[in-house]
Each structure stands twice: as structure tokens, then as C-alpha cells.
Amino acid sequence: MPQSFTPEKNSNIVILTGAGISQESGLETFRDPDGIWSKVRLEDVATPEAFAKNPHDVHSFYNMRRERHRVATANPNHAHMALARLEAQWLGQVTVITQNVDSLHESGGTQNLIHMHGVHSKARCNHCQHIVSWEGDMSTETLCDGCGDAGGMRPHVVWFGETPLELGRIQAALVECDLFLSIGTSGNVYPAAGFISVVQKIGRAHTVELNLEPSLGAELFDEGRYGPATDVVPSYVDELLETL
Ligand code: BV8
């Protein structure tokens, strides 16, 4: 396994991020010992079936997370800011694909960003598909300002069993990728966890995992850098920028 790699100056970089990149900004991850799924079952709060069966519990879950996210949003960490620095200074294309529904990449300065699992900051009506920016709590009484109905408003996030967003744009980025980075994700959730296999099969990119600990897919990467994202990500970005 090659230990380091110097990409061409105008090469394309694709970066997949997960909950681990936001952990040092104060947001809980999902599968760490004290993570979100240790307190509530995803089947009860993050599937369309759960929303149909018990919308009150789902709204309470997302109202709580939206409030936590609101507090954290002003606090992108050095990992988020290092990725924005890379995008600003790199000569090739830098694309961030995040599984996260928080807005920390935006507040950290990233521009070319794909939220494949949606965002806390938007709501969608199940009845008319109208999408609106959203900040406060939501309930079954919330009225849609598109169709005027109550009972259909839901978080604009992708639940388990739903199709992730912007898969065409993601596929196009993976095909053109020369350097694939995976940051702060455990490799549990598909199709995101399968992107490393897509990139390896294409055979064009050097691949690096930057994580607190090896993920489920660690063996598939050419390189691994392990430690807190606010350490390993800025130092890796500095290494890349020093090649310019
Ligand atoms: C799909 C939004 C078809 C909501 C999320 C049966 C029925 C139906 C589907 C399936 C099924 N079996 C499997 C599936 C597929 C399913 C799936 O993968 N299930 C898993 C549980 C097995 N996937 C789906 O349903 C997806 N849709 O498959 O549709 C399809 C497919 C392709 C093409 C067309 C159609 C939809 C999945 C999306 C679900 N929504 N989030 C919300 O946020 O509430 S997923 C949720 O998990 C978040 O997005 C989260 O980001 C994501 C992944 O978790 P991670 O980000 O990796 O977080 P985790 O806690 O696991 O790991 C954190 C990592 O960070 C750890 O490694 C840790 O060590 C590290 N870390 C911690 N601290 C730090 C750190 N690293 C660095 N620094 C630190 N400080």
C-alpha cells in the first residue's frame, strides 16, 4: 500500500464526509458508543414508515437535532475550514459530498458541496413536494405554504429506504476523480459506503481515509490517516497545498 502520493496540480479531488467531521463542533455522531443510535432506534425515527406510523416522535427527534445543529452551526471546526482552503487554492476541481445534514461545510466556506442525505435547514411537504427553508420546530399541525395542507410537512432529509439526492452528480464526480478522500464516516451506510469501491473499480484515483479509527472499509483505501479530524485533515490539506 503506497504511503504517500503527489497528485497532479490540476487533478480532481472528491471528498466524502460523515458525522465524524462535525463531532468536534459539538454534534453527536451516530454509531460512536454514546452516539445518536445508542439512544433511539433508526427504525423509529428515520424511515418513511416511522413517519407514517408516529409522526410526533419523528418531529420531536428532528426538532431536538435541529436545535442542536442551530447551536453548532456557528462553529465549523478546523477540518471544515481546511477543506474550504483546499477548494479555494487547488487548481483542479474539489467536490465535497457530505452525508451530514448540518450546515457546517457551508459555514466553513465550502462552495462545491452535495448534501446527499438532505439538510436540517429545509422542510418538504409530503403532499405537494414543496421545499422551503426551515429553522424552528415542526409538527403535524405545521401548514405547508405551497398547498396550505397540515400534516404533510417533514424534514428535507433522506431517510433509510429513500433514494439519496444528486446521485447523477455524484457518479460524474467519482468517474473524474484523481484523489478520493473519506473523512469522519464509519462506512456503514450505503450507497455512500460503496463510493470507495466505485472509485477503486474505475482504477484512476489514489484513495485516503482520514478518520478517528479505521472504518469498515479501511482495507479498501490506499492510505489511512487516523486521529481527530481537526488534526489529520488540516495537516493533509497542508501537504497537498505544499505541492503547488
Ligand atoms: C438507499 C439523514 C436505495 C437523516 C441518513 C433495507 C431496506 C432499505 C434500505 C437498506 C436496507 N438495508 C440496507 C439498506 C441501505 C441503507 C443502509 O445503508 N442501511 C444501513 C444501516 C445498513 N441505505 C439507505 O436506505 C439509503 N437509501 O439505499 O436507497 C438506493 C440506493 C442507491 C441508489 C438508488 C436507491 C439512504 C441512507 C440515508 C439515511 N439517512 N441521514 C439524518 O441524519 O437523520 S444516514 C446517517 O448515517 C447520516 O447521514 C450519517 O452521516 C450517515 C452515515 O453515518 P456516519 O456519517 O458514518 O456516522 P457514524 O456515526 O456511523 O460514524 C462516524 C465516524 O466518524 C466513525 O467512524 C468515527 O470513528 C468517526 N469519528 C468520530 N469522531 C471523530 C471521527 N473522525 C474524525 N474526527 C473525529 N473527531
Side-chain angles (χ1 to χ4, degrees):
M1 182 175 332
Q3 280 315 306
S4 74
F5 159 84
T6 305
E8 294 297 322
K9 294 191 185 339
N10 59 353
S11 53
N12 299 320
I13 304 176
V14 174
I15 303 163
L16 173 68
T17 67
I21 199 171
S22 299
Q23 190 269 334
E24 291 163 272
S25 294
L27 287 181
E28 289 171 302
T29 64
F30 290 88
R31 294 170 187 83
D32 284 331
D34 57 348
I36 292 170
W37 299 145
S38 71
K39 301 174 182 114
V40 65
R41 293 174 67 244
L42 69 88
E43 294 79 2
D44 295 339
V45 292
T47 68
E49 295 77 13
F51 187 63
K53 189 166 160 231
N54 202 330
H56 174 75
D57 287 356
V58 175
H59 279 308
S60 303
F61 175 66
Y62 282 94
N63 290 343
M64 171 275 289
R65 285 190 51 214
R66 206 176 290 117
E67 175 52 24
R68 287 206 188 136
H69 148 264
R70 190 187 60 74
V71 170
T73 302
N75 185 24
N77 61 52
H78 290 300
H80 297 107
M81 290 185 269
L83 296 187
R85 188 155 44 88
L86 177 64
E87 180 185 13
Q89 296 178 35
W90 194 251
L91 304 181
Q93 181 87 356
V94 176
T95 306
V96 176
I97 302 167
T98 189
Q99 301 172 85
N100 300 339
V101 294
D102 63 54
S103 310
L104 291 172
H105 281 299
E106 293 90 330
S107 45
T110 288
Q111 312 265 330
N112 190 21
L113 174 63
I114 300 173
H115 273 284
M116 65 179 292
H117 290 163
V119 286
H120 271 318
S121 58
K122 289 183 183 168
R124 186 171 86 239
C125 175
N126 258 352
H127 300 162
C128 71
Q129 301 314 312
H130 185 62
I131 296 176
V132 287
S133 296
W134 195 266
E135 278 191 6
D137 284 355
M138 202 184 298
S139 77
T140 52
E141 313 301 312
T142 303
L143 294 180
C144 167
D145 65 8
C147 65
D149 281 1
M153 292 302 283
R154 55 164 283 179
H156 184 49
V157 301
V158 177
W159 283 327
F160 290 93
E162 294 185 323
T163 303
L165 307 176
E166 304 217 56
L167 290 175
R169 197 173 148 206
I170 290 171
Q171 181 65 17
L174 295 177
V175 166
E176 294 299 318
C177 162
D178 302 299
L179 176 60
F180 178 76
L181 310 182
S182 177
I183 303 174
T185 181
S186 63
N188 270 282
V189 174
Y190 287 84
F195 292 167
I196 174 61
S197 303
V198 170
V199 167
Q200 290 292 29
K201 199 164 169 204
I202 293 166
R204 169 182 165 146
H206 181 70
T207 60
V208 187
E209 175 172 79
L210 300 104
N211 208 51
L212 192 61
E213 60 198 9
S215 73
L216 289 179
E219 288 312 304
L220 296 170
F221 289 84
D222 296 320
E223 246 187 282
R225 308 280 181 106
Y226 297 106
T230 54
D231 286 350
V232 295
V233 175
S235 56
Y236 189 71
V237 165
D238 289 345
E239 273 180 45
L240 288 174
L241 293 178
E242 275 154 25
T243 67
L244 292 182

